[in-house]
Amino acid sequence: MTLLDAGSGWQATGPAGMPEPPGSDEIAAGSAAARPLREAWRMFAGNPLALVGLAILAGIVVMTIIGPYLYPVDPFDIVGAPLTPPGEGGLLFGSDYLGRDMLAGIIHGGRASLTVGGFAAIITMAIGISIGALAGFYGGWADRVLMRVTEFFQVLPPLLLAMVLVTLFSPTLTTITLSIGVVSWTNVARLTRAEFLKIRSLDYVLAGRAVGARDRRLIWRVILPNALPPLVVAAALSVGVAILFESGLSFLGLGDPNVMSWGMMIGQNKQVMLDAWWPTTIPGAAIFAAVLSISLIGDGLNDALNPRLRRR
Amino acid sequence: MLDGLTRRQFIEISACAMAAPAIGWPNEAAAAAAPAGGTLVVAAAAGSPRHFNSAVQSGIATGMPAAQIFASPLRFDDQWRPHPYLAERWELAPDGMSLTLHLVKGATFHDGQPITSADVAYSILTIRDNHPFKTMFAPVKQVDTPDPATAVIRLTQPHPALLICMSPPLCPILPKHVFDNGHDIKTNPANLAPIGSGPFKFVEYKPGDHITLEKYDRFFLPGRPKLDRIIYRIISDPSAIVVGLEQGETNFLPFAVSTRDLTRLAKKKTLGVTAQGYQGFGPINWLAFNLLRKPLDDKRVRKAIYHAIDRDFITKKLLLGFAQEATGPIVPSSPFYSAAVDPYAFDLKRANALLDEAGLKPDARGKRFSLTVDYLPIGGPEEQQNIAEYLKPQLKKVGIDVQVRSAPDFPTWAQRISNWDFDMTMDQVFNWGDPVVGVHRTYLTSNIRKGVIWSNTQNYRNPQVDQLLDEAAVTLDEQKRKALYAQFQKIVVDDAPIAWINIVPYNSVYDRRLGNLPTTIWGALSPMDDLYWKESHA
């Protein structure tokens, strides 16, 4: 095991410049791992757009966490006349088609939208990485079978497939999250597979193999950490995609009607779009801000984690 | 009692041509002088009809073109009065056990064959055996044909609704020599290429796109129809319908229900909007309770929920003042409507008191119990989804936690409701002219039929109500019937198996250059043989 550990210590400063995989007992490797992380943060912090994105997202997250305590209005309560314009009747963002408080909707709705986004991204990554890693690592018939499955999912229009799934299992927050995860993992799988194909024949993997490391260790401890940079970016972006997905489903009337979300606010209020701008525009702007900030963060991560750019 | 497709088409549909000021009936002089010619393009929002045989298929999608293709024995004006149509005279036997129809001389089907009493007999028996509204001709024992111009309908019991059942949407006269061809009538090839008896003949049908009808030159009423052609343009996108009317691409939109679209269209000078032409349908928007579920089996709970709903807010604020509040199972435009019921005023205190009385005390967080509410997922959100959404915060005020259960499509909803898998549901049900046809089905114990949508899915059982309805179904004296229905309404409103919310504000939007819009009780489901263009248009 000493040899192997030495191998992974070397790998941490190796070609991909990735942090030390967890579980190493070599202290020197630990400090070596801190360097690329610091380096990455330095790159990230030097990117003003990425910082703006981070600030916006942090603001949204804080708002959805503590907002409901600071502004404890039930987003479903009818608090005024329908379609009260923003600023009137003590309603900062006005009221929707039923007379519900738009501000409360934005604060509470963000919670659902972000939760769905986060969990759907986790599901997406879990499925995508597992399939991609197995296909890329083993190749051969495993690769062929898994890639055919991936292609099968890829040729189905994701929104339609998600609609079918939600329809089959009735729309609740859980089924919506699962369906989004289930339809959007294909790109992650292909990305993971490509990285694994590239890395599995590199010397340090061969070295690991030579000293008898098991497949599991090679996949999780050796290859995956080095394949992470593009996957981290993909994960960040998939949060944004999942938020858009949830909004799309809600817009089409397939949201969970008992949980306020930004997409549902737009979907339910689209019927009054010609009469009042705010019930659709305000949640639209919230979705825009959230997805844009995640996208900016994703770009920033991409630059920060790309060793070629770093060398420049 | 409608099947799925039918009902869906019903609600979604919109279409044809209608005209300006309220017109009385037959208006012969004006019709004779009216200019002939022109094409009417109807915006049909209900989607594609399954076929055109309204003898076996109910619903607006089939009903609108079918009322032009097929003539019926009688037609009705806007005052519920019968008028001659294919039958130039008729006599109801004094004992109410038979109806004799004397057919117009020289009437022919679109293939030139004469229309005879044998066709009438064939049509009525076909409807009796196949139409989803079983109560319409259930009492018909046989139809005698003493000569080709006379048909005698013989009954097993008096049937006060028999005359209204002779009207265009309910009794199309089919050519026996075409339809009696050995095929099952419901899947008969002739249903899609119908040879009819009405003012317009079928020319072409492209599902999802359009239906074309053309003037029948040898129609039995002289000088009619006025129009050369009617095209039903099938449009499902609501904004496309609005724009089409604004641009003059379509000339007539019946069964328009979106109050916001109506407000917008009414501003256009070339267009008119009228609520006339829907008395016969009697559409009610309501909240139905499942009486098999606790605590909804307790009348006090249902009453409490009804008291907690602010119908004034719904009709004035959510439906922009277009809709009228409903007060019971029969629509106010029906001759059998009774206002002598105990109304459910909006009263949260009373609602809370009733719930306390029922022993449903609120817990520490003010919650008494939870219920789900479904809603009909078609026909636009205003009447159904919005009101279901409204119930959530509204019933929370009296401690009832409401979870809205959306259904992705009509079959899902119908499956749940018809199998009694629901607590409460928003729904839209039609009175269909006479209570025997459209009202009885919802309240009779004998019509508790699992799996059948628009039956007594509430599982409401009241022997007194059953008795009143059974008696009203065989009572010919109109005053006596009114008294029976008044009693029925009082009892059923008190039992509240349903919280009747509002009358669906159906309207027609029409090009102002059209004359003689179909403003009768059956509106666009009646023959438009006197409809005309006041001036030529491009």
Side-chain angles (χ1 to χ4, degrees):
Chain A
M1 289 311 278
T2 337
L3 257 179
L4 183 61
D5 285 341
S8 46
W10 165 80
Q11 156 223 331
T13 52
M18 269 314 290
E20 166 70 3
S24 166
D25 52 355
E26 198 178 330
I27 295 162
S31 63
R35 225 180 307 136
L37 262 189
R38 252 202 314 271
E39 185 91 337
W41 169 247
R42 199 182 52 76
M43 285 289 296
F44 188 87
N47 182 342
L49 280 179
L51 287 182
V52 169
L54 192 64
I56 297 175
L57 187 66
I60 293 173
V61 170
V62 169
M63 174 196 81
T64 56
I65 292 172
I66 65 169
Y69 301 100
L70 297 180
Y71 193 76
V73 176
D74 187 328
F76 286 100
D77 276 356
I78 292 171
V79 296
L83 303 184
T84 308
E88 286 178 25
L91 299 169
L92 184 60
F93 285 173
S95 71
D96 71 358
Y97 72 108
L98 286 182
R100 303 182 294 199
D101 188 345
M102 292 289 298
L103 177 59
I106 291 292
I107 292 174
H108 290 255
R111 202 174 257 202
S113 294
L114 292 186
T115 310
V116 169
F119 279 97
I122 292 174
I123 296 170
T124 302
M125 297 310 291
I127 303 177
I129 290 179
S130 311
I131 293 193
L134 291 176
F137 185 79
Y138 289 106
W141 65 265
D143 184 30
R144 281 197 291 275
V145 170
L146 289 172
M147 281 304 107
R148 289 305 85 77
V149 172
T150 309
E151 277 158 16
F152 173 75
F153 275 91
Q154 242 175 341
V155 294
L156 295 170
L159 186 61
L160 280 185
L161 181 54
M163 285 169 68
V164 170
L165 289 173
V166 170
T167 306
L168 277 180
F169 300 106
S170 85
T172 66
L173 220 48
T174 318
T175 55
I176 291 167
T177 309
L178 286 173
S179 338
I180 296 173
V182 165
V183 300
S184 44
W185 55 268
T186 50
N187 286 335
V188 177
R190 297 198 73 95
L191 190 63
T192 312
R193 172 177 173 271
E195 288 295 308
F196 268 63
L197 282 177
K198 189 178 77 189
I199 297 170
R200 75 170 181 185
S201 54
L202 293 183
D203 289 345
Y204 60 87
V205 180
L206 294 178
R209 217 187 268 281
V211 299
R214 284 161 201 253
D215 287 354
R216 210 169 52 187
R217 185 175 177 91
L218 285 174
I219 290 174
W220 294 111
R221 295 283 180 86
V222 180
I223 303 182
L224 186 59
N226 287 285
L228 270 183
L231 294 180
V232 169
V233 177
L237 294 179
S238 73
V239 175
V241 171
I243 291 177
L244 284 180
F245 242 107
E246 191 272 337
S247 311
L249 287 174
S250 301
F251 182 79
L252 295 170
L254 291 168
D256 183 343
N258 298 296
V259 180
M260 191 59 79
S261 78
W262 294 337
M264 189 174 90
M265 293 172 77
I266 298 180
Q268 289 189 345
N269 283 299
K270 72 181 172 198
Q271 49 177 309
V272 295
M273 208 148 50
L274 296 175
D275 306 278
W277 59 270
W278 59 93
T280 42
T281 309
I282 292 176
I287 294 172
F288 173 75
V291 176
L292 177 71
S293 69
I294 291 166
S295 196
L296 290 173
I297 294 171
D299 282 352
L301 282 175
N302 191 27
D303 293 351
L305 297 174
N306 189 330
R308 272 186 218 97
L309 277 180
R310 195 180 309 160
R311 247 177 250 128
R312 249 191 262 151
Chain B
M1 279 181 131
L2 304 182
D3 64 53
L5 186 62
T6 299
R7 175 64 179 183
R8 159 182 224 131
Q9 292 169 340
F10 218 116
I11 294 189
E12 283 179 0
I13 265 220
S14 46
C16 280
M18 209 103 104
I23 44 161
W25 187 258
N27 219 339
E28 288 298 339
T39 298
L40 174 76
V41 185
V42 180
S48 307
R50 210 185 263 178
H51 56 70
F52 302 96
N53 188 351
S54 53
V56 299
Q57 172 81 51
S58 66
I60 299 173
T62 293
M64 284 197 305
Q68 317 310 320
I69 298 170
F70 297 105
S72 55
L74 305 177
R75 61 205 289 184
F76 284 72
D77 61 15
D78 53 359
Q79 303 294 320
W80 298 87
R81 288 180 304 226
H83 289 265
Y85 191 20
L86 202 47
E88 57 181 11
R89 284 178 298 124
W90 65 94
E91 293 123 26
L92 200 56
D95 62 356
M97 298 297 281
S98 72
L99 172 69
T100 307
L101 301 172
H102 301 280
L103 304 183
V104 182
K105 301 280 183 321
T108 56
F109 288 109
H110 298 164
D111 62 358
Q113 299 288 319
I115 302 175
T116 67
S117 55
D119 298 302
V120 173
Y122 168 74
S123 303
I124 288 176
L125 296 181
T126 300
I127 297 166
R128 180 191 68 183
D129 298 337
N130 296 285
H131 198 279
F133 301 166
K134 298 207 183 308
T135 45
M136 273 195 309
F137 290 135
V140 173
K141 188 168 65 184
Q142 65 195 72
V143 182
D144 294 342
T145 52
D147 66 68
T150 312
V152 185
I153 304 168
R154 301 207 179 276
L155 305 174
T156 53
Q157 61 180 45
H159 184 19
L162 187 58
L163 283 185
I164 197 104
C165 293
M166 295 284 121
S167 56
L170 302 173
C171 193
I173 299 305
L174 315 173
K176 181 172 193 281
H177 64 274
V178 174
F179 282 86
D180 195 10
N181 55 5
H183 280 95
D184 177 11
I185 188 70
K186 288 187 180 168
T187 54
N188 201 306
N191 293 350
L192 274 167
I195 304 288
S197 45
F200 292 90
K201 60 185 182 191
F202 173 83
V203 176
E204 186 186 35
Y205 175 35
K206 290 225 164 101
D209 194 61
H210 70 272
I211 303 160
T212 307
L213 307 181
E214 232 170 54
K215 173 179 187 167
Y216 177 49
D217 292 329
R218 296 171 57 197
F219 183 53
F220 57 85
L221 292 178
R224 298 189 187 200
K226 296 289 172 194
L227 296 169
D228 287 339
R229 200 172 292 106
I230 300 179
I231 297 171
Y232 293 88
R233 201 157 280 294
I234 299 163
I235 317 173
S236 55
D237 178 37
S239 46
I241 292 172
V242 171
V243 173
L245 282 161
E246 284 180 341
Q247 306 285 325
E249 285 160 15
T250 52
N251 320 120
F252 180 49
L253 169 71
F255 296 97
V257 72
S258 165
T259 50
R260 291 183 196 281
D261 289 350
L262 287 171
T263 316
R264 179 174 159 173
L265 287 168
K267 286 182 191 144
K268 186 96 179 160
K269 282 201 182 69
T270 55
L271 297 176
V273 175
T274 177
Q276 288 217 340
Y278 298 97
Q279 301 100 301
F281 302 99
I284 310 182
N285 207 39
W286 72 39
L287 176 72
F289 302 113
N290 182 351
L291 272 57
L292 294 178
R293 295 271 172 101
K294 279 192 185 319
L296 294 172
D297 55 338
D298 188 330
K299 179 161 132 180
R300 289 169 298 193
V301 175
R302 305 195 296 267
K303 280 171 172 279
I305 293 173
Y306 207 171
H307 274 300
I309 299 171
D310 187 355
R311 279 175 288 160
D312 190 57
F313 178 85
I314 292 175
T315 54
K316 298 231 168 70
K317 294 287 166 52
L318 297 184
L319 300 173
L320 306 180
F322 276 86
Q324 182 185 0
E325 286 179 31
T327 57
I330 297 181
V331 292
S333 60
S334 163
F336 299 103
Y337 172 75
S338 159
V341 295
D342 293 332
Y344 288 82
F346 172 52
D347 186 346
L348 292 176
K349 261 191 212 139
R350 174 122 184 74
N352 273 314
L354 280 163
L355 291 170
D356 286 339
E357 203 183 303
L360 298 156
K361 302 283 183 202
D363 64 12
R365 303 167 99 190
K367 181 180 140 181
R368 297 177 194 269
F369 56 93
S370 289
L371 290 176
T372 61
V373 62
D374 288 90
Y375 60 86
L376 196 57
I378 51 175
E382 283 192 347
E383 310 272 322
Q384 292 278 302
Q385 183 185 353
N386 287 5
I387 296 177
E389 298 285 351
Y390 159 84
L391 291 174
K392 189 179 169 75
Q394 188 62 20
L395 295 186
K396 194 180 140 197
K397 292 179 184 165
V398 293
I400 303 172
D401 169 53
V402 174
Q403 297 288 309
V404 180
R405 237 181 13 159
S406 54
D409 49 26
F410 176 81
T412 310
W413 175 85
Q415 175 83 9
R416 284 177 189 164
I417 306 309
S418 65
N419 289 295
W420 314 335
D421 170 27
F422 71 103
D423 291 340
M424 307 189 286
T425 185
M426 288 300 303
D427 195 359
Q428 264 181 30
V429 181
F430 286 22
N431 272 190
W432 277 115
D434 192 283
V436 167
V437 183
V439 177
H440 288 212
R441 55 182 173 160
T442 314
Y443 307 95
L444 280 174
T445 306
S446 58
N447 203 31
I448 298 178
R449 296 194 290 163
K450 198 169 188 163
V452 180
I453 194 67
W454 295 298
S455 58
N456 181 355
T457 46
Q458 294 69 238
N459 280 276
Y460 172 62
R461 291 159 201 270
N462 186 332
Q464 212 185 338
V465 163
D466 291 342
Q467 203 190 331
L468 284 168
L469 292 181
D470 287 345
E471 198 180 333
V474 295
T475 302
L476 290 177
D477 184 296
E478 177 142 333
Q479 290 313 314
K480 268 191 209 153
R481 264 190 104 202
K482 278 185 180 168
L484 291 168
Y485 281 125
Q487 238 181 313
F488 154 74
Q489 287 169 79
K490 193 165 174 54
I491 296 171
V492 87
V493 167
D494 183 63
D495 282 344
I498 283 170
W500 302 272
I501 308 282
N502 64 283
I503 309 302
V504 180
Y506 278 135
N507 277 271
S508 303
V509 183
Y510 58 91
D511 190 313
R512 286 190 181 278
R513 292 169 298 174
L514 288 169
N516 283 348
L517 286 173
T519 49
T520 71
I521 58 167
W522 295 116
L525 266 66
S526 49
M528 299 192 286
D529 53 350
D530 57 347
L531 184 76
Y532 68 100
W533 283 102
K534 292 176 194 163
E535 50 193 277
S536 68
H537 69 294

